[in-house]
Amino acid sequence: MHRVMPTMSTANSRPAAVSRIEPIGPTESLNLWIGLLLLAVAIYAYGLGGQYIPTNGDELVYIHIARLTAASNQWLPLVSDLHQMRNTKPPMLFWQAMVAGGWGQHWSLAALRLPSLVYTLLTTGLVAWAVYGISLDKRRALLAACIYLAFFSTFRYGRPYLTSAPETFWLCLPLFFIFHFLFKEKTNIVDILKEQLDTKQIAFLFFIGCFFGLGSTYKSFALIAPAAAATWLALVLARRIASFKGLVTISLQMALSALLALGIFALWFFLDPDPAAVWREFVVGENVGKMGDKAGYWHEAIYGGGSSLWAQAFSYVENAGLLAFLVLGLAVAGLKNRWTIFSGHSAGGRGGMASWKSWPPHVGVLLAWLLVWWLVFMLPSQRSARYVIPAMPALAIVMALAWHRIGRGWFLASGVLLAIMAVVLARIGWVMQSLLIATNLEFFFMALGLTAVLVLLAIGLLKPVHTRVCTLAASLLVWGCFSLTVAPLESVAGRYDNKTQTTLTGKTIAVPSNFNAQWERFEFLLPGNQIKPFDMAAMSHADTAQRTLQELLQIHDVVVWGHAPLGQTQPGCLPHCRVLATRWVVKERHQAGDITRANVWSLGWLFSREWLLTSKP
């Protein structure tokens, strides 16, 4: 099936047919794509409340702020024991957690993360809807949804509490709004923004401003700029605006939406009882600070490693993760086909960059979406691939439209990467079983999932017609296998049992912390106690470790102690202390010399025991 897309020749013309999207292929049934999408959703939902899902290192910082703010029974001001990290994010992020957690009554990682998953699935639905609107092919729409969920950036930042899912949804909604007008047969894209405002256009600008404003209240007012610029350019390209008067008109109208969004964000200053702190900590510290660097702007841009211009240039490739080679293949196919892959034109048709007025309108929207976000975040001195995550839905749409234009070799290269990941996960699972962290049944399910990955890759290698779908299915299964691999650490081996949690209620517990608010995880592991963090560096120095432990045992009811060498099965304080419980943990940070050529395959450095100790009788 194919979709006839509209284009505009004059302001009063009706849509005319100019492009045809290539069918996705006869070998893949609709039921197959439905099943693959359902599998992807199940993978995302599985282990949502786990300790070891891919996440941002600061997730626990913001959970800490949300918990203390909820405990204050006030929406504002935000509360934190980390005074240098209090107003580092707008309040919407914390209010979402406070509501989801029932103001502390249902405080669990799964509850706090559920809204992020909902936002991610809503965005996934919009991606599928947009591709169906362009191609009228249900299979291609489902393909786009699966591609979006297979991206590493979606898997990592689309589920945790500290996530990019809410701002991605809200900031991209205006662009999907434009798609709505493109797909609506009785609506001309030129009618969206005229030179003279009418009721319909005022409503359009109002809703765009609200969407920008809601997105900014999750992360930063700075995101209004790329979101508004992307929407502006999308409208310019979709409407074929080339006159100075037309550009000025649309610029002023988009500025109105941006000002409304900024006004929505500014409500924080009016609602917060300490607006000066908001200005000092958020505007100056969190935002303005990212525009400068002690090493010098250009030094950071050229030699800044992961924060350099060179690294940022490959931000879409990095965010794609296991599909990175496919993004490179998409770029190569785009160059070979003069970027007609965005529209579905045949390679020989007119569609190059010089003939942009001949593009179907949706091409301009996609190009604006991808280019603006990529270029804008080249500017700050602190660059990161995650800053362009709001443009990843556009990348998924383009990849779905160009799926059969990407060379098979790129899929085979991705298969090699997937096979390496499968071998690594298999080795981790084997070690976990040998340490009795994983039961035989748990290891069986790990092995079954990884075997399925390898079988899919083998089919894709031997059967060229199935290479593409097998590669995509295998990449989704790898994420599922990752969750299966860490699952034993979410059961008896990696958590304190209910009896221990019941016994330890109302106690003062000293817990290790090696990063901002990392102690917050014990609010979920040992709820109902007074958690007191101490510097985990004490565990790394043998000459002071025992003295530190004895001091902690004297002033606390219970001490959490661990990260001992793999062969050490008992804490060094015995017999002067008592072991209440033990569990296995994954070492989060390693000292120099922990990982060597001799032990890199044995993985002895990956796991360690953690004990609950007391000196009380």
Side-chain angles (χ1 to χ4, degrees):
M1 297 184 66
H2 64 275
R3 172 79 178 198
V4 175
M5 283 302 304
T7 185
M8 297 295 103
S9 56
T10 66
N12 298 318
S13 64
R14 295 294 301 275
V18 297
S19 70
R20 184 174 70 83
I21 299 300
E22 180 183 359
I24 195 172
T27 61
E28 298 143 11
S29 69
L30 179 63
N31 289 336
L32 181 148
W33 289 108
I34 292 174
L36 191 57
L37 180 58
L38 291 176
L39 173 65
V41 173
I43 288 170
Y44 268 64
Y46 179 69
L48 190 63
Q51 306 171 71
Y52 298 108
I53 73 168
T55 182
N56 187 299
D58 283 335
E59 181 185 37
L60 289 171
V61 173
Y62 297 101
I63 290 177
H64 167 76
I65 297 172
R67 179 177 61 84
L68 292 190
T69 304
S72 72
N73 292 318
Q74 299 289 334
W75 294 101
L76 289 171
L78 301 176
V79 182
S80 173
D81 288 339
L82 297 166
H83 298 295
Q84 78 279 12
M85 298 188 72
R86 180 169 62 101
N87 291 308
T88 54
K89 287 290 183 291
M92 188 66 76
L93 179 71
F94 307 105
W95 294 348
Q96 174 183 292
M98 291 157 61
V99 173
W103 288 79
Q105 298 302 310
H106 311 289
W107 206 252
S108 67
L109 285 173
L112 298 181
R113 291 167 174 167
L114 183 59
S116 299
L117 178 58
V118 171
Y119 271 119
T120 294
L121 295 181
L122 287 174
T123 303
T124 303
L126 289 174
V127 167
W129 167 81
V131 171
Y132 179 72
I134 295 170
S135 67
L136 267 188
D137 189 339
K138 294 179 181 178
R139 293 176 298 171
R140 193 179 295 275
L142 294 170
L143 162 66
C146 291
I147 292 173
Y148 182 66
L149 293 177
F151 287 151
F152 176 64
S153 60
T154 311
F155 188 67
R156 180 179 180 183
Y157 296 106
R159 297 196 301 163
Y161 163 61
L162 180 60
T163 177
S164 296
E167 67 263 23
T168 296
F169 175 80
W170 290 113
L171 296 177
C172 295
L173 204 52
L175 294 161
F176 287 112
F177 229 61
I178 296 175
F179 278 131
H180 165 72
F181 286 102
L182 291 176
F183 302 152
K184 197 172 180 182
E185 294 182 0
K186 294 183 180 180
T187 302
N188 192 312
I189 187 67
V190 178
D191 293 330
I192 294 180
L193 291 178
K194 300 177 183 177
E195 293 183 7
Q196 299 296 325
L197 290 178
D198 58 20
T199 303
K200 181 185 295 186
Q201 290 173 268
I202 292 174
F204 178 75
L205 295 172
F206 173 79
F207 281 114
I208 286 181
C210 289
F211 297 153
F212 290 160
L214 286 170
S216 70
T217 56
Y218 274 98
K219 187 64 65 73
S220 172
F221 64 91
L223 294 181
I224 297 173
T231 306
W232 174 87
L233 184 57
L235 288 166
V236 168
L237 295 179
R239 288 184 53 197
R240 322 284 199 245
I241 297 176
S243 68
F244 177 76
K245 182 178 181 181
L247 292 174
V248 171
T249 299
I250 196 172
S251 299
L252 291 175
Q253 292 175 349
M254 195 52 55
L256 291 176
S257 294
L259 286 173
L260 173 61
L262 194 60
I264 292 173
F265 183 89
L267 289 175
W268 183 10
F269 292 88
F270 291 99
L271 297 174
D272 198 294
D274 189 3
V278 174
W279 177 268
R280 182 177 62 255
E281 297 170 19
F282 182 78
V283 177
V284 177
E286 184 71 7
N287 288 269
V288 177
K290 290 185 177 181
M291 297 302 295
D293 191 87
K294 294 180 180 179
Y297 179 86
W298 288 110
H299 183 277
E300 184 72 18
I302 298 173
Y303 305 106
S307 188
S308 67
L309 289 172
W310 321 116
Q312 189 68 13
F314 290 91
S315 53
Y316 288 129
V317 177
E318 180 180 339
N319 284 336
L322 298 175
L323 302 185
F325 285 113
L326 302 189
V327 178
L328 294 174
L330 177 72
V332 171
L335 291 172
K336 287 182 177 179
N337 293 277
R338 297 169 64 199
W339 301 105
T340 56
I341 58 172
F342 279 74
S343 62
H345 283 281
S346 62
R350 293 184 65 199
M353 300 303 286
S355 56
W356 66 275
K357 286 191 176 183
S358 67
W359 291 341
H362 75 272
V363 176
V365 178
L366 292 170
L367 280 173
W369 195 343
L370 288 166
L371 286 175
V372 169
W373 281 91
W374 183 68
L375 291 172
V376 165
F377 285 102
M378 289 284 190
L379 299 178
S381 59
Q382 293 185 28
R383 301 172 187 86
S384 173
R386 69 178 184 271
Y387 295 157
V388 301
I389 286 176
M392 294 304 288
L395 183 61
I397 293 172
V398 174
M399 288 182 69
L401 295 177
W403 191 242
H404 284 79
R405 299 284 185 88
I406 302 173
R408 181 171 178 258
W410 297 103
F411 288 87
L412 295 177
S414 296
V416 173
L417 181 60
L418 289 164
I420 293 172
M421 280 289 296
V423 170
V424 171
L425 290 174
R427 177 56 184 166
I428 293 173
W430 184 278
V431 171
M432 291 175 71
Q433 186 198 35
S434 66
L435 294 174
L436 302 181
I437 299 175
T439 64
N440 291 335
L441 184 61
E442 289 169 331
F443 181 70
F444 170 77
F445 284 116
M446 286 185 224
L448 185 64
L450 293 168
T451 301
V453 170
L454 297 177
V455 169
L456 284 169
L457 295 176
I459 294 173
L461 178 64
L462 300 174
K463 299 286 187 179
V465 71
H466 297 310
T467 300
R468 288 169 171 79
V469 66
C470 285
T471 302
L472 182 58
S475 62
L476 288 168
L477 270 179
V478 164
W479 298 137
C481 290
F482 175 88
S483 298
L484 287 173
T485 301
V486 299
L489 293 166
E490 306 301 340
S491 58
V492 176
R495 288 185 177 269
Y496 299 116
D497 58 30
N498 292 332
K499 181 180 179 181
T500 300
Q501 292 186 23
T502 302
T503 303
L504 297 179
T505 301
K507 306 292 185 182
T508 301
I509 303 179
V511 303
S513 183
N514 63 351
F515 192 64
N516 290 329
Q518 288 302 296
W519 70 82
E520 190 69 22
R521 65 188 186 274
F522 289 98
E523 294 288 345
F524 303 100
L525 292 168
L526 297 168
N529 295 286
Q530 189 175 3
I531 304 300
K532 299 289 185 180
F534 66 89
D535 186 1
M536 202 174 72
M539 297 182 181
S540 305
H541 303 84
D543 54 338
T544 60
Q546 290 306 309
R547 183 172 68 251
T548 301
L549 177 56
Q550 292 299 327
E551 292 173 353
L552 291 170
L553 286 169
Q554 290 176 9
I555 58 177
H556 298 91
D557 297 320
V558 177
V559 175
V560 175
W561 194 258
H563 288 256
L566 186 62
Q568 184 177 338
T569 60
Q570 297 293 334
C573 61
L574 291 176
H576 305 293
C577 63
R578 183 163 58 94
V579 178
L580 300 176
T582 185
R583 70 175 185 127
W584 284 98
V585 297
V586 176
K587 285 188 177 180
E588 297 174 351
R589 293 175 181 261
H590 302 276
Q591 301 297 317
D594 284 355
I595 305 174
T596 64
R597 290 183 180 179
N599 67 8
V600 67
W601 180 248
S602 67
L603 299 179
W605 43 268
L606 190 56
F607 303 100
S608 66
R609 287 181 174 86
E610 180 181 274
W611 298 286
L612 281 180
L613 305 175
T614 183
S615 60
K616 305 297 188 290

